[in-house]
Structures are given as structure tokens and as C-alpha cells.
Amino acid sequence: MAARNTRLMRCTPDDLFAVLSDGWLYPIWVVGAARMRDVDEQWPQEGSQIHHSLGIWPVMIHDETTIVEWDPPRRMRLRPEAGILGRGVIRIDARPHELGTAVTIAEEPVSGAAALLPSLLWKPLLVARNHECLNRLAFLAEGRREKREAREPRHRKTDPDDLGEAGS
């Protein structure tokens, strides 16, 4: 069973998916991703990939992550592959909430070294990691919402005709 985390974000699902659609932001919100090497031109279309590295220099593992499902503003499914560490599946679901968006991330190793370990070992690590991933993702998505709202035109609260003779 996958490691699962949920966090309420004070933004719209569209704000969240605007961040997820930018592959170059991946190492900012994904704990363990150290740097980006390339992003396919087609990203975030299904089948496209981002190429990043995991770890800390000088021990780096090159990783490719493929989009399996892209269904904004509801769901994104990813398949990361990190050499001997193996392959995983990640699903990010977004649900509108009265205070913003409830975002759930579920992750599970499916092959390689990590999948050979009992879930008793990998699950608590992924829960802790993805807790921080959701915090970082929230900072980006909520910041995007604030920027978007700052750009939106401010509308008058009163009708100029209601000003009467004082406006003349």
C-alpha cells in the first residue's frame, strides 16, 4: 500500500497545476531531487519526461520521471526511475475545498532496491519526505495565487452614477 499524505493549500487547483506543469520547478518542491538536467518540450503531456539528479554531490544518481497521466486540475501520475533504486509510482490528486485545494500525494516503489524492502521500512520515510514535498509545493502554488490575484484588475465598489452632484 502506498505512502499517502494530504495537505490543504490556500490556492485553486489551477494554481497547483500551473506549478506542476513547469518541469523546471521539480527540484524545488521534490525532496531529494538536486538539480534538473532537461525537460522534454512536450512536458506535461503524457509520455513526456523530465531528467533530474538525486542525491548530494559528488554522489548523484541520474533519474528520469515520466508523466503517466495528466488530468488538470484533478490528477497527475508520475513514474520516476532512479537506476538501482528502482522505479516508483506517484499520484497527486487535487480536490476543491472551501478554503482552497486539498492535495493528496501517494507514492510507492514498484521495482528495484526500494521495492524489495518491507513497507514497514520505506513507508515512514516516504510519508516524512512527502510531507515536506507538499509544504514546498504549497509555498509555490500559494505564491502563484498571490501573484495572480495581484495582477487581476481591481473593480470599483461604487457606481460613478451613485456619486450624484458631488462628482460634478
Side-chain angles (χ1 to χ4, degrees), residues 88-131:
V89 292
I90 301 168
R91 192 176 83 214
I92 299 172
D93 291 307
R95 295 180 324 276
H97 184 278
E98 64 186 31
L99 298 176
T101 303
V103 181
T104 299
I105 185 169
E107 181 174 6
E108 182 173 8
V110 294
S111 70
L116 297 175
L117 298 172
S119 65
L120 178 70
L121 295 177
W122 58 259
K123 198 172 192 178
L125 295 173
L126 285 180
V127 166
R129 173 182 171 254
N130 288 336
H131 175 81

Short mmCIF file of all heavy atoms in Angstrom, two decimals, residues 88-131:
data_model
loop_
_atom_site.label_atom_id
_atom_site.label_comp_id
_atom_site.label_asym_id
_atom_site.label_seq_id
_atom_site.Cartn_x
_atom_site.Cartn_y
_atom_site.Cartn_z
N GLY A 88 9.20 3.90 -9.24
CA GLY A 88 8.07 4.11 -8.34
C GLY A 88 6.86 4.61 -9.10
O GLY A 88 6.92 4.83 -10.31
N VAL A 89 5.79 4.75 -8.38
CA VAL A 89 4.59 5.39 -8.93
C VAL A 89 4.17 6.47 -7.93
O VAL A 89 4.22 6.27 -6.72
CB VAL A 89 3.43 4.40 -9.18
CG1 VAL A 89 3.77 3.45 -10.32
CG2 VAL A 89 3.08 3.61 -7.94
N ILE A 90 3.82 7.63 -8.48
CA ILE A 90 3.39 8.76 -7.66
C ILE A 90 2.10 9.28 -8.25
O ILE A 90 1.99 9.47 -9.46
CB ILE A 90 4.45 9.89 -7.67
CG1 ILE A 90 5.78 9.39 -7.12
CG2 ILE A 90 3.96 11.10 -6.87
CD1 ILE A 90 6.94 10.34 -7.35
N ARG A 91 1.13 9.51 -7.39
CA ARG A 91 -0.13 10.11 -7.83
C ARG A 91 -0.40 11.34 -6.99
O ARG A 91 -0.30 11.30 -5.77
CB ARG A 91 -1.28 9.12 -7.67
CG ARG A 91 -2.54 9.59 -8.39
CD ARG A 91 -3.64 8.59 -8.32
NE ARG A 91 -4.31 8.76 -7.03
CZ ARG A 91 -4.84 7.77 -6.32
NH1 ARG A 91 -4.78 6.54 -6.75
NH2 ARG A 91 -5.43 8.01 -5.18
N ILE A 92 -0.73 12.43 -7.67
CA ILE A 92 -1.10 13.67 -6.99
C ILE A 92 -2.54 13.98 -7.38
O ILE A 92 -2.85 14.12 -8.57
CB ILE A 92 -0.16 14.83 -7.40
CG1 ILE A 92 1.28 14.49 -7.00
CG2 ILE A 92 -0.62 16.14 -6.76
CD1 ILE A 92 2.32 15.45 -7.52
N ASP A 93 -3.40 14.05 -6.38
CA ASP A 93 -4.82 14.36 -6.59
C ASP A 93 -5.15 15.69 -5.95
O ASP A 93 -4.67 16.00 -4.85
CB ASP A 93 -5.71 13.28 -5.95
CG ASP A 93 -5.63 11.96 -6.68
OD1 ASP A 93 -5.82 11.95 -7.90
OD2 ASP A 93 -5.35 10.93 -6.02
N ALA A 94 -5.97 16.48 -6.62
CA ALA A 94 -6.42 17.78 -6.09
C ALA A 94 -7.94 17.80 -6.06
O ALA A 94 -8.58 17.42 -7.03
CB ALA A 94 -5.89 18.91 -6.98
N ARG A 95 -8.47 18.24 -4.92
CA ARG A 95 -9.93 18.38 -4.76
C ARG A 95 -10.23 19.78 -4.25
O ARG A 95 -9.63 20.22 -3.27
CB ARG A 95 -10.45 17.36 -3.74
CG ARG A 95 -10.31 15.93 -4.15
CD ARG A 95 -10.85 14.96 -3.09
NE ARG A 95 -10.64 15.34 -1.69
CZ ARG A 95 -9.54 15.11 -0.99
NH1 ARG A 95 -8.51 14.52 -1.52
NH2 ARG A 95 -9.47 15.46 0.28
N PRO A 96 -11.16 20.47 -4.91
CA PRO A 96 -11.54 21.79 -4.39
C PRO A 96 -12.05 21.66 -2.96
O PRO A 96 -12.69 20.67 -2.59
CB PRO A 96 -12.66 22.24 -5.33
CG PRO A 96 -12.46 21.45 -6.57
CD PRO A 96 -11.89 20.13 -6.12
N HIS A 97 -11.72 22.64 -2.16
CA HIS A 97 -12.11 22.69 -0.75
C HIS A 97 -12.55 24.11 -0.47
O HIS A 97 -12.10 25.04 -1.12
CB HIS A 97 -10.90 22.30 0.11
CG HIS A 97 -11.17 22.21 1.57
ND1 HIS A 97 -11.19 23.31 2.39
CD2 HIS A 97 -11.42 21.15 2.36
CE1 HIS A 97 -11.44 22.93 3.63
NE2 HIS A 97 -11.58 21.62 3.63
N GLU A 98 -13.42 24.30 0.50
CA GLU A 98 -13.93 25.65 0.79
C GLU A 98 -12.81 26.64 1.13
O GLU A 98 -12.96 27.84 0.92
CB GLU A 98 -14.98 25.62 1.90
CG GLU A 98 -14.43 25.15 3.23
CD GLU A 98 -15.51 24.99 4.29
OE1 GLU A 98 -16.65 24.65 3.93
OE2 GLU A 98 -15.19 25.21 5.47
N LEU A 99 -11.67 26.15 1.60
CA LEU A 99 -10.55 27.03 1.94
C LEU A 99 -9.45 27.02 0.87
O LEU A 99 -8.41 27.64 1.06
CB LEU A 99 -9.96 26.64 3.29
CG LEU A 99 -10.90 26.76 4.48
CD1 LEU A 99 -10.24 26.25 5.75
CD2 LEU A 99 -11.35 28.20 4.65
N GLY A 100 -9.64 26.30 -0.21
CA GLY A 100 -8.64 26.23 -1.26
C GLY A 100 -8.69 24.90 -1.98
O GLY A 100 -9.67 24.56 -2.62
N THR A 101 -7.61 24.12 -1.83
CA THR A 101 -7.49 22.84 -2.53
C THR A 101 -6.89 21.80 -1.59
O THR A 101 -5.86 22.06 -0.97
CB THR A 101 -6.59 22.98 -3.77
OG1 THR A 101 -7.12 23.99 -4.62
CG2 THR A 101 -6.48 21.68 -4.54
N ALA A 102 -7.53 20.66 -1.48
CA ALA A 102 -6.97 19.53 -0.73
C ALA A 102 -6.13 18.72 -1.70
O ALA A 102 -6.62 18.27 -2.73
CB ALA A 102 -8.08 18.67 -0.13
N VAL A 103 -4.85 18.58 -1.39
CA VAL A 103 -3.91 17.90 -2.28
C VAL A 103 -3.40 16.64 -1.58
O VAL A 103 -2.92 16.70 -0.45
CB VAL A 103 -2.72 18.82 -2.65
CG1 VAL A 103 -1.77 18.10 -3.60
CG2 VAL A 103 -3.22 20.12 -3.24
N THR A 104 -3.53 15.51 -2.27
CA THR A 104 -3.05 14.23 -1.75
C THR A 104 -1.96 13.72 -2.66
O THR A 104 -2.11 13.73 -3.88
CB THR A 104 -4.19 13.20 -1.67
OG1 THR A 104 -5.19 13.70 -0.79
CG2 THR A 104 -3.70 11.85 -1.16
N ILE A 105 -0.87 13.26 -2.05
CA ILE A 105 0.20 12.61 -2.81
C ILE A 105 0.32 11.19 -2.27
O ILE A 105 0.35 10.97 -1.05
CB ILE A 105 1.52 13.39 -2.72
CG1 ILE A 105 2.59 12.75 -3.62
CG2 ILE A 105 2.02 13.52 -1.31
CD1 ILE A 105 3.83 13.62 -3.80
N ALA A 106 0.33 10.23 -3.18
CA ALA A 106 0.51 8.82 -2.82
C ALA A 106 1.70 8.30 -3.62
O ALA A 106 1.79 8.54 -4.83
CB ALA A 106 -0.75 8.02 -3.15
N GLU A 107 2.62 7.61 -2.94
CA GLU A 107 3.83 7.14 -3.61
C GLU A 107 4.17 5.74 -3.12
O GLU A 107 3.99 5.41 -1.95
CB GLU A 107 5.00 8.08 -3.32
CG GLU A 107 6.28 7.68 -4.00
CD GLU A 107 7.40 8.69 -3.83
OE1 GLU A 107 7.23 9.67 -3.09
OE2 GLU A 107 8.46 8.48 -4.45
N GLU A 108 4.68 4.93 -4.07
CA GLU A 108 5.04 3.56 -3.73
C GLU A 108 6.15 3.08 -4.67
O GLU A 108 6.08 3.31 -5.88
CB GLU A 108 3.80 2.69 -3.92
CG GLU A 108 3.97 1.25 -3.58
CD GLU A 108 2.64 0.49 -3.63
OE1 GLU A 108 1.64 1.06 -4.08
OE2 GLU A 108 2.65 -0.67 -3.23
N PRO A 109 7.18 2.42 -4.14
CA PRO A 109 8.17 1.80 -5.02
C PRO A 109 7.57 0.55 -5.65
O PRO A 109 6.85 -0.19 -4.98
CB PRO A 109 9.33 1.47 -4.08
CG PRO A 109 8.71 1.36 -2.72
CD PRO A 109 7.51 2.26 -2.73
N VAL A 110 7.88 0.31 -6.94
CA VAL A 110 7.33 -0.88 -7.61
C VAL A 110 8.40 -1.81 -8.15
O VAL A 110 8.09 -2.94 -8.52
CB VAL A 110 6.33 -0.49 -8.73
CG1 VAL A 110 5.10 0.18 -8.14
CG2 VAL A 110 6.98 0.39 -9.78
N SER A 111 9.66 -1.34 -8.22
CA SER A 111 10.74 -2.23 -8.65
C SER A 111 12.05 -1.70 -8.09
O SER A 111 12.13 -0.59 -7.57
CB SER A 111 10.80 -2.30 -10.18
OG SER A 111 11.26 -1.08 -10.72
N GLY A 112 13.09 -2.53 -8.18
CA GLY A 112 14.41 -2.12 -7.71
C GLY A 112 14.59 -2.34 -6.22
O GLY A 112 13.78 -2.99 -5.55
N ALA A 113 15.68 -1.77 -5.70
CA ALA A 113 16.07 -1.98 -4.30
C ALA A 113 14.98 -1.56 -3.32
O ALA A 113 14.71 -2.26 -2.34
CB ALA A 113 17.37 -1.23 -4.02
N ALA A 114 14.37 -0.41 -3.55
CA ALA A 114 13.35 0.09 -2.61
C ALA A 114 12.15 -0.85 -2.52
O ALA A 114 11.59 -1.05 -1.44
CB ALA A 114 12.91 1.49 -3.01
N ALA A 115 11.76 -1.45 -3.64
CA ALA A 115 10.59 -2.35 -3.64
C ALA A 115 10.88 -3.66 -2.92
O ALA A 115 9.94 -4.34 -2.50
CB ALA A 115 10.14 -2.62 -5.07
N LEU A 116 12.15 -4.01 -2.75
CA LEU A 116 12.50 -5.25 -2.06
C LEU A 116 12.37 -5.11 -0.55
O LEU A 116 12.26 -6.10 0.16
CB LEU A 116 13.93 -5.67 -2.42
CG LEU A 116 14.14 -6.02 -3.90
CD1 LEU A 116 15.62 -6.31 -4.15
CD2 LEU A 116 13.27 -7.20 -4.31
N LEU A 117 12.39 -3.87 -0.06
CA LEU A 117 12.26 -3.63 1.37
C LEU A 117 10.81 -3.76 1.80
O LEU A 117 9.89 -3.43 1.04
CB LEU A 117 12.77 -2.23 1.71
CG LEU A 117 14.23 -1.93 1.41
CD1 LEU A 117 14.51 -0.45 1.62
CD2 LEU A 117 15.13 -2.78 2.29
N PRO A 118 10.57 -4.18 3.03
CA PRO A 118 9.19 -4.23 3.52
C PRO A 118 8.65 -2.80 3.67
O PRO A 118 9.39 -1.85 3.97
CB PRO A 118 9.29 -4.94 4.87
CG PRO A 118 10.72 -4.88 5.25
CD PRO A 118 11.52 -4.69 4.02
N SER A 119 7.35 -2.64 3.48
CA SER A 119 6.73 -1.31 3.57
C SER A 119 6.93 -0.69 4.96
O SER A 119 6.93 0.53 5.10
CB SER A 119 5.24 -1.37 3.23
OG SER A 119 4.54 -2.14 4.18
N LEU A 120 7.14 -1.52 5.95
CA LEU A 120 7.43 -1.04 7.31
C LEU A 120 8.66 -0.13 7.32
O LEU A 120 8.74 0.79 8.13
CB LEU A 120 7.65 -2.26 8.22
CG LEU A 120 8.02 -1.99 9.67
CD1 LEU A 120 6.81 -1.40 10.40
CD2 LEU A 120 8.46 -3.28 10.34
N LEU A 121 9.59 -0.34 6.39
CA LEU A 121 10.80 0.47 6.31
C LEU A 121 10.64 1.69 5.39
O LEU A 121 11.03 2.80 5.74
CB LEU A 121 11.98 -0.38 5.84
CG LEU A 121 12.42 -1.49 6.79
CD1 LEU A 121 13.55 -2.30 6.18
CD2 LEU A 121 12.85 -0.91 8.13
N TRP A 122 10.08 1.48 4.17
CA TRP A 122 10.04 2.59 3.22
C TRP A 122 8.86 3.54 3.44
O TRP A 122 8.96 4.73 3.16
CB TRP A 122 10.08 2.12 1.77
CG TRP A 122 9.01 1.18 1.31
CD1 TRP A 122 9.11 -0.16 1.16
CD2 TRP A 122 7.67 1.53 0.92
NE1 TRP A 122 7.92 -0.67 0.71
CE2 TRP A 122 7.02 0.34 0.55
CE3 TRP A 122 6.96 2.72 0.85
CZ2 TRP A 122 5.70 0.31 0.12
CZ3 TRP A 122 5.64 2.70 0.42
CH2 TRP A 122 5.02 1.49 0.06
N LYS A 123 7.76 3.02 3.96
CA LYS A 123 6.56 3.85 4.09
C LYS A 123 6.76 5.07 5.01
O LYS A 123 6.44 6.19 4.63
CB LYS A 123 5.38 3.01 4.54
CG LYS A 123 4.05 3.65 4.29
CD LYS A 123 2.94 2.65 4.58
CE LYS A 123 1.63 3.15 4.08
NZ LYS A 123 0.57 2.17 4.31
N PRO A 124 7.30 4.91 6.24
CA PRO A 124 7.50 6.09 7.10
C PRO A 124 8.45 7.11 6.47
O PRO A 124 8.27 8.32 6.64
CB PRO A 124 8.10 5.52 8.39
CG PRO A 124 7.81 4.06 8.37
CD PRO A 124 7.67 3.67 6.94
N LEU A 125 9.46 6.64 5.73
CA LEU A 125 10.39 7.57 5.07
C LEU A 125 9.68 8.37 3.98
O LEU A 125 9.88 9.58 3.86
CB LEU A 125 11.57 6.80 4.48
CG LEU A 125 12.48 6.09 5.49
CD1 LEU A 125 13.51 5.23 4.78
CD2 LEU A 125 13.15 7.11 6.40
N LEU A 126 8.85 7.69 3.19
CA LEU A 126 8.12 8.40 2.13
C LEU A 126 7.07 9.35 2.71
O LEU A 126 6.86 10.43 2.17
CB LEU A 126 7.46 7.42 1.16
CG LEU A 126 8.39 6.73 0.18
CD1 LEU A 126 7.62 5.78 -0.73
CD2 LEU A 126 9.18 7.74 -0.64
N VAL A 127 6.43 8.96 3.80
CA VAL A 127 5.45 9.86 4.44
C VAL A 127 6.15 11.13 4.91
O VAL A 127 5.67 12.25 4.67
CB VAL A 127 4.71 9.15 5.60
CG1 VAL A 127 3.95 10.14 6.46
CG2 VAL A 127 3.74 8.10 5.04
N ALA A 128 7.31 10.99 5.55
CA ALA A 128 8.05 12.17 6.02
C ALA A 128 8.52 13.03 4.85
O ALA A 128 8.38 14.25 4.85
CB ALA A 128 9.24 11.74 6.88
N ARG A 129 9.06 12.39 3.82
CA ARG A 129 9.55 13.11 2.64
C ARG A 129 8.40 13.85 1.95
O ARG A 129 8.51 15.03 1.60
CB ARG A 129 10.20 12.12 1.68
CG ARG A 129 10.58 12.73 0.36
CD ARG A 129 11.19 11.64 -0.53
NE ARG A 129 11.37 12.14 -1.85
CZ ARG A 129 10.61 11.81 -2.89
NH1 ARG A 129 9.62 10.96 -2.74
NH2 ARG A 129 10.85 12.30 -4.07
N ASN A 130 7.29 13.16 1.75
CA ASN A 130 6.18 13.78 1.01
C ASN A 130 5.45 14.84 1.82
O ASN A 130 4.82 15.73 1.25
CB ASN A 130 5.24 12.70 0.47
CG ASN A 130 5.88 11.95 -0.68
OD1 ASN A 130 6.77 12.48 -1.35
ND2 ASN A 130 5.45 10.73 -0.90
N HIS A 131 5.55 14.77 3.13
CA HIS A 131 5.04 15.86 3.97
C HIS A 131 5.76 17.15 3.59
O HIS A 131 5.14 18.19 3.38
CB HIS A 131 5.22 15.52 5.45
CG HIS A 131 4.84 16.62 6.37
ND1 HIS A 131 3.53 16.87 6.73
CD2 HIS A 131 5.59 17.57 6.99
CE1 HIS A 131 3.50 17.92 7.54
NE2 HIS A 131 4.74 18.37 7.71
#
